[in-house]
Amino acid sequence: MLASYVNGTGHPASAKADKIQSITGVMMGCFLLAHLHFESSILLGKDAFYTVVQFLEGGMFSSTGHGFPIVTKVFSVFMLAVVMLHAAVALRRFPAQLGQWRALRRHMAVINHKDSQAWFWQLVTGFVLFFLVPVHLFTMIANPEIGPNLSAERVYHQNAWLLYALLLPAVVIHAMIGLYRVAVKWGFTEKRTGLRKLAKVLIIYLIVIGLLSLGSYMLIGSELTLPVEAYRPS
C-alpha cells in the first residue's frame, strides 16, 4: 500500500492505533451521511428544517416544543474530540519529510493503483480538513443556535459560505474514501471495484445535495434584513 511505501516498511502502525483510526473514521463518516441529509431538509422549506432542528435538539422534552441549543454545543464538543483523536492517530501516516513527499510523487507517477490513488486523495483532503473542520466545530460550539434564519445569516451575512464551499468537497471525498478503505481493510467485502463505484456515486450525490442546501441558505440569507430574528413557524 502507498501508506506503507511512504512511511517505510520498518515502522508498521500498531493494531490499536489502526482500530482507533478506523472506529473514529466510521463514526465521522456515518455522522456526515446523517448531517448532510438533515441539512438538506432546508430544500423542503423553512418549516421542514425547523422541525428537524427541534427534533434533534430534544424539542419533544420541552414544554414549548423548542429544542435545547446546548445539545448542539455538547455534540459539537464530542465531535471535536473524535476529530482530534482521529487526526492524532492518522498523522503517523502523513509524509512529514521532503524525501517522503518525493517518494510519494515517484510512486504515483509510475504505479497506477486504484487504492493507492484513493489513499493519496484521502491524504490531501485530510490535510485540508485539519484546518477547516476545527473552525466549523468551534463556530458551532461558540454559537450553537441554528435554524432557517440563523443558519442563513451565518452562511450569507457572515460569509461562512466560503468555508462551507471548501469544506464540503474535502470532507465528503475524505469520508467516503475512508469508509471504503475501512470496509476493505477489515475484510467486510472483497468486491473492491463495486465498492469504489458506490463511493464515487455517494461522493457526487452528497456534494450535490450539499451544494443545493448551501444555495438555499444563500437565497434565504439574501432576503433577510439585519438584525436577523430566529425563525418561528406561523
Side-chain angles (χ1 to χ4, degrees), residues 20-194:
I20 293 175
Q21 184 176 349
S22 295
I23 291 171
T24 53
V26 169
M27 289 174 63
M28 292 187 296
C30 292
F31 167 73
L32 178 67
L33 285 168
H35 179 59
L36 288 178
H37 283 93
F38 289 144
E39 287 287 345
S40 68
S41 63
I42 191 66
L43 299 175
L44 301 177
K46 289 186 177 183
D47 284 350
F49 183 69
Y50 177 86
T51 300
V52 169
V53 170
Q54 303 317 310
F55 173 77
L56 295 176
E57 292 187 341
M60 72 286 292
F61 301 111
S62 170
S63 59
T64 62
H66 187 66
F68 304 95
I70 187 66
V71 174
T72 297
K73 181 188 288 285
V74 171
F75 194 76
S76 296
V77 171
F78 171 73
M79 288 307 302
L80 180 61
V82 173
V83 169
M84 292 174 64
L85 179 59
H86 182 77
V89 294
L91 280 174
R92 75 192 192 282
R93 294 182 178 273
F94 195 88
Q97 300 176 358
L98 181 59
Q100 292 176 330
W101 278 106
R102 288 173 176 170
L104 171 61
R105 291 180 63 184
R106 288 196 300 269
H107 183 87
M108 293 294 297
V110 300
I111 298 179
N112 183 22
H113 188 269
K114 297 296 184 181
D115 282 2
S116 293
Q117 292 173 351
W119 183 84
F120 172 78
W121 284 110
Q122 195 176 31
L123 175 71
V124 172
T125 54
F127 178 79
V128 173
L129 294 176
F130 184 80
F131 299 98
L132 298 184
V133 171
V135 174
H136 173 55
L137 290 176
F138 276 126
T139 299
M140 300 311 301
I141 293 170
N143 184 18
E145 288 278 354
I146 56 178
N149 289 354
L150 297 178
S151 296
E153 177 193 17
R154 182 182 294 116
V155 170
Y156 185 81
H157 290 285
Q158 298 179 16
N159 296 315
W161 65 268
L162 179 58
L163 170 66
Y164 296 143
L166 297 173
L167 178 61
L168 176 63
V171 72
V172 168
I173 291 172
H174 188 83
M176 294 305 102
I177 292 178
L179 291 177
Y180 160 77
R181 295 185 68 234
V182 167
V184 171
K185 180 181 181 64
W186 297 106
F188 292 109
T189 181
E190 295 182 355
K191 299 179 180 179
R192 297 193 180 198
T193 301

